[in-house]
Amino acid sequence: MHYTFLLDFDSTLVAAESLEVMAEVCLSEDTEGARKRARLRELTTAAMEGHMDFGAALSERLALLDLRREQLPAIVARLQQALSASFLANRAFLEAHAEHIHVLSGGFEELIVPVIEQLGLRADRVHANRLQFDAQGRLLGCVQGNALARAGGKVETVRALALAQPCVLVGDGWSDLEVAEAGLVQRFYAYTEHVRRAPVLARAEREAPSFDEVLFDLGLRAAHSYPKNRLKVLLLENIHPSAVEAFARAGYSVETVPGALDAAALAARIGEVAVLGIRSKTRLTAAALAQAKRLVAVGAFCIGTNQIDLDAARQRGIAVFNAPYSNTRSVVELALAEIILLLRGLPEKLRQMDHGVWDKSLGAAREVRGKTLGIVGYGNIGMQLSVLAEAAGMRVLYVDLAERLALGTAQRVATLHELLAASDAISVHVDGRASNRNMFGAAEFAAMRPGSVFLNLARGHVADLDALRAALDSGHLRGAALDVFPEEPARNGDAFAHPLTSNPRLLLTPHIGGSTLEAQADIGRYVGQRLTDYIDGGSTEGVVNLPALRLPPQEQAHRFVHLHANQPGVLARINEALSAHGANILGQYLKTDAEVGYVITDVDRDYSPALLDAIRAVPHTLRFRVLY
Ligand SMILES: NC(=O)c1ccc[n+]([C@@H]2O[C@H](COP(=O)([O-])OP(=O)(O)OC[C@H]3O[C@@H](n4cnc5c(N)ncnc54)[C@H](O)[C@@H]3O)[C@@H](O)[C@H]2O)c1
């Protein structure tokens, strides 16, 4: 490393302005605190953006505080909490090169030194002001005579330091730009991890949203293999803010678009995108994917993935993730609510009231307590419904084709017909396999108990609606709730006509079982996490179109992530390359499916760069990434 670094402190090494933190601590009990803090912020911005003399701004700001020496540790603790994530991630680099890294600040040594020491940096490389206190420990101001307390102080200080060139300055403020414009450094990075100062950015040649970016740009090895800010994340269709925030917090460049993009608009954008987030309205075709030269992963922030050409994505080594279970609880709550409404006979009462009919008669209104619920399909939804229904006092029976552990006191029964004969309510939660078409026809409804109720919140094709109507019309069934239909309108507002709609003992809902704000938030969080786990660590847990591998954390290693067409001998070729280049393998994980192989190799950091080219050249390689 032949560079000398000059790092600014406030809003660069820490995500805070020291004077504002001092104000928070000192003015917390001052009745004029809010006004003084607002004034402090004004003065900071004016000085940083070059609208006010730095020295004058500093004196006025210090005068607003009534600081006592014993308050310094509290201020230091807050600044330590605010250390920049990307400098912290690169602590090893900072510590290794501490001799050549200077901290230059118009702030105060007493605060800066204990903070930068946490990054492995050296107290004797800090150039800043010193605070002056009276005998009682009250702040008087800064020690006079230090150039950094004056306008142009950084320029003067750097000139006097006569540092070895090439010198690199990283800072967010106007005074940093002045040093660059005085020609005292070879490169200046306007630092934007925490603040973007338009006047500085307008004149700076380079912008760095993270310290990784600085190191990458200088050709130095950073904590991460690739600066995240260079990875573009495009999120369409109003994906929940939880995902947008997670990507932004992790340092990615995130762009959001409220609606879906049509084929032409998507083709125009997709080429520069590393991660694409969509919901159900964006069609991701083979043609669109052919344009996606940098696309590493797609997040379907919804349940289904029919809108994506999964095969085309697989052939290009693009991972697709979705959120199959984020709305489980929402479906379960609706099912339980509907079981209660149906056994109580509410659909008729609600309709009567709508028509001005007051009918207080008891009818056959029942409590759910002590009644038997029969669950058809004891998967994610069925099992959770089992728990909630038992909590409401129901006895639960279930059938499932697969072996499923009974929760609580639920009991498995041998056949569907046994279940139908024993239940007061039947709730269907099977998956969409073709053999489930019309699994409920006349014979099944006839086998249900007289006066029982039927719910389908699973798939429209599961129940024969003519047979259901007959069972309701004859009075054999007490009521039914349907959230899914054999044919559903494509868009909101489209007409929906069906013979069942006129039946007064029905609860019909427009496929909204899983639609809640909570489910949306969880989808955002869940898919966002799967995508970042894949990009940062190679984990394909939850992927829909590639072999799924859950990986141990990567420690002290570089991780080679290799996706290839599943042809014999690829792993052998990779291992030949590793061995020919003397790489020390710390761990290797492989999973294949019929078409694709996914191999992860953790290697000791010291390997020849030629190894990467050798692995890239292995025949049938779809994607190769190095992660650290
Ligand atoms: N209404 C909505 O908005 C909404 C929302 C989410 C899910 N769903 C649907 O709910 C259903 C259940 O979802 P999940 O997450 O619990 O799925 P899951 O895959 O976890 O569970 C389905 C279960 O049904 C069983 N099964 C399949 N066919 C069967 C049969 N013929 N007889 C007995 N058991 C059978 C499977 O073995 C499995 O255990 C799915 O069809 C899903 O599409 C609807």
Side-chain angles (χ1 to χ4, degrees):
M1 212 281 288
H2 63 293
Y3 293 101
T4 305
F5 275 87
L6 274 168
L7 306 178
D8 177 33
F9 183 73
D10 289 336
S11 296
T12 294
L13 282 173
V14 288
E17 287 290 322
S18 303
L19 270 159
E20 287 181 16
V21 176
M22 290 161 88
E24 275 167 30
V25 172
C26 299
L27 303 177
S28 60
E29 281 162 20
D30 187 328
T31 48
E32 288 282 282
R35 183 191 60 76
K36 289 182 182 173
R37 272 202 292 273
R39 179 66 188 143
L40 267 168
R41 266 194 291 277
E42 259 171 47
L43 291 164
T44 303
T45 307
M48 281 296 163
E49 296 186 351
H51 307 308
M52 185 177 179
D53 176 80
F54 188 84
L58 181 63
S59 304
E60 194 179 329
R61 285 181 290 177
L62 283 181
L64 283 168
L65 302 170
D66 183 18
L67 176 74
R68 291 177 308 285
R69 193 190 286 278
E70 67 265 22
Q71 291 172 312
L72 291 180
I75 298 167
V76 167
R78 288 190 189 207
L79 289 169
Q80 286 171 335
Q81 288 297 313
L83 269 169
S84 298
S86 80
F87 281 99
L88 268 174
N90 285 290
R91 190 184 187 286
F93 173 91
L94 297 171
E95 191 170 21
H97 303 292
E99 193 186 340
H100 306 290
I101 302 176
H102 297 251
V103 176
L104 179 67
S105 169
F108 313 103
E109 226 177 275
E110 292 82 350
L111 304 176
I112 294 172
V113 168
V115 176
I116 58 110
E117 280 178 343
Q118 297 215 321
L119 293 170
L121 295 174
R122 284 168 45 167
D124 63 353
R125 296 289 186 271
V126 171
H127 314 284
N129 285 302
R130 285 194 65 82
L131 293 169
Q132 207 178 16
F133 295 89
D134 67 12
Q136 284 72 47
R138 287 190 174 279
L139 178 69
L140 295 171
C142 328
V143 173
Q144 293 301 303
N146 187 334
L148 287 162
R150 294 192 292 272
K154 281 195 175 177
V155 173
E156 213 179 306
T157 305
V158 176
R159 195 166 273 138
L161 283 169
L163 299 166
Q165 291 293 339
C167 198
V168 175
L169 170 61
V170 182
D172 61 284
W174 186 260
S175 57
D176 303 308
L177 179 74
E178 284 177 339
V179 175
E181 293 194 337
L184 296 170
V185 292
Q186 204 198 39
R187 288 192 193 200
F188 168 55
Y189 292 91
Y191 199 69
T192 53
E193 182 171 351
H194 311 299
V195 278
R196 298 180 61 79
R197 301 192 195 280
V200 176
L201 287 165
R203 288 168 64 161
E205 278 178 22
R206 295 179 180 81
E207 175 186 340
S210 70
F211 193 52
D212 284 312
E213 171 66 26
V214 174
L215 296 179
F216 188 82
D217 195 52
L218 292 170
L220 299 170
R221 186 172 274 189
H224 302 110
S225 34
Y226 195 69
K228 294 221 180 93
N229 53 277
R230 291 191 175 214
L231 291 174
K232 287 209 168 36
V233 177
L234 177 63
L235 301 176
L236 309 179
E237 302 187 58
N238 267 330
I239 284 167
H240 195 273
S242 59
V244 183
E245 277 157 28
F247 280 115
R249 210 177 323 113
Y252 295 90
S253 296
V254 188
E255 207 185 320
T256 56
V257 173
L261 294 181
D262 62 23
L266 187 60
R269 301 286 294 276
I270 204 169
E272 59 185 32
V273 171
V275 178
L276 177 68
I278 60 170
R279 289 172 64 194
S280 52
K281 293 199 177 67
T282 303
R283 297 205 58 74
L284 201 51
T285 59
L289 289 164
Q291 309 287 320
K293 302 284 179 249
R294 297 175 184 206
L295 193 61
V296 179
V298 175
F301 286 79
C302 50
I303 311 300
T305 50
N306 294 342
Q307 72 282 33
I308 302 169
D309 188 330
L310 294 176
D311 284 337
R314 178 190 297 114
Q315 282 153 21
R316 293 179 181 279
I318 298 167
V320 178
F321 296 88
N322 67 339
Y325 305 122
S326 290
N327 60 7
T328 297
R329 170 74 187 207
S330 305
V331 179
V332 169
E333 286 192 12
L334 184 63
L336 184 62
E338 292 186 332
I339 292 166
I340 296 172
L341 293 181
L342 290 172
L343 286 177
R344 196 67 184 263
L346 257 280
E348 298 110 304
K349 296 285 184 213
L350 295 174
R351 287 194 173 90
Q352 285 173 339
M353 290 297 276
D354 274 352
H355 293 102
V357 178
W358 182 265
D359 174 10
K360 213 171 156 306
S361 66
L362 177 64
R366 312 291 298 269
E367 289 182 347
V368 296
R369 179 171 46 166
K371 303 299 173 302
T372 301
L373 169 63
I375 298 177
V376 185
Y378 205 61
N380 285 285
I381 293 175
M383 287 167 101
Q384 207 175 122
L385 177 61
S386 165
V387 174
L388 261 66
E390 280 199 348
M394 300 190 82
R395 182 169 83 104
V396 175
L397 304 176
Y398 68 91
V399 288
D400 200 296
L401 295 178
E403 197 56 51
R404 297 271 182 237
L405 181 73
L407 298 185
T409 56
Q411 283 177 296
R412 184 188 188 106
V413 296
T415 65
L416 177 63
H417 277 254
E418 204 179 310
L419 185 83
L420 301 178
S423 304
D424 301 296
I426 289 289
S427 196
V428 184
H429 301 288
V430 297
D431 53 49
R433 68 186 76 188
S435 56
N436 285 340
R437 177 170 298 279
N438 289 338
M439 75 183 281
F440 276 84
E444 285 69 32
F445 291 124
M448 285 175 64
R449 280 188 176 176
S452 62
V453 301
F454 173 80
L455 293 91
N456 181 13
L457 289 86
R459 297 292 176 126
H461 69 240
V462 164
D464 173 347
L465 296 193
D466 291 327
L468 175 61
R469 186 183 50 185
L472 285 166
D473 289 349
S474 70
H476 177 61
L477 290 192
R478 174 80 201 288
L482 301 177
D483 187 47
V484 289
F485 302 88
E487 276 164 36
E488 296 180 4
R491 279 176 300 274
N492 286 343
D494 283 2
F496 174 61
H498 200 279
L500 281 173
T501 50
S502 59
N503 193 301
R505 283 179 285 130
L506 267 171
L507 279 173
L508 299 184
T509 45
H511 205 148
I512 48 155
S515 308
T516 60
L517 294 174
E518 287 82 357
Q520 283 307 314
D522 196 69
I523 288 171
R525 183 202 61 75
Y526 179 87
V527 180
Q529 190 63 51
R530 297 287 76 72
L531 289 167
T532 49
D533 284 356
Y534 177 60
I535 292 163
D536 297 349
S539 163
T540 44
E541 197 182 357
V543 76
V544 291
N545 65 336
L546 294 176
L549 262 184
R550 182 192 293 188
L551 297 165
Q554 170 189 1
E555 273 157 17
Q556 305 292 316
H558 281 201
R559 179 164 282 178
F560 293 178
V561 173
H562 190 271
L563 269 167
H564 52 270
N566 189 8
Q567 299 288 332
V570 177
L571 183 61
R573 295 290 298 273
I574 292 173
N575 285 339
E576 274 163 32
L578 288 162
S579 124
H581 288 82
N584 181 21
I585 300 180
L586 304 173
Q588 195 169 53
Y589 317 90
L590 168 75
K591 190 139 185 204
T592 54
D593 62 23
E595 289 172 49
V596 176
Y598 190 43
V599 57
I600 306 287
T601 314
D602 287 350
V603 299
D604 200 275
R605 292 176 195 172
D606 296 318
Y607 54 83
S608 127
L611 168 61
L612 304 182
D613 293 330
I615 296 184
R616 244 177 230 115
V618 169
H620 307 297
T621 296
L622 295 173
R623 284 272 163 157
F624 175 54
R625 296 190 293 145
V626 180
L627 308 177
Y628 59 83

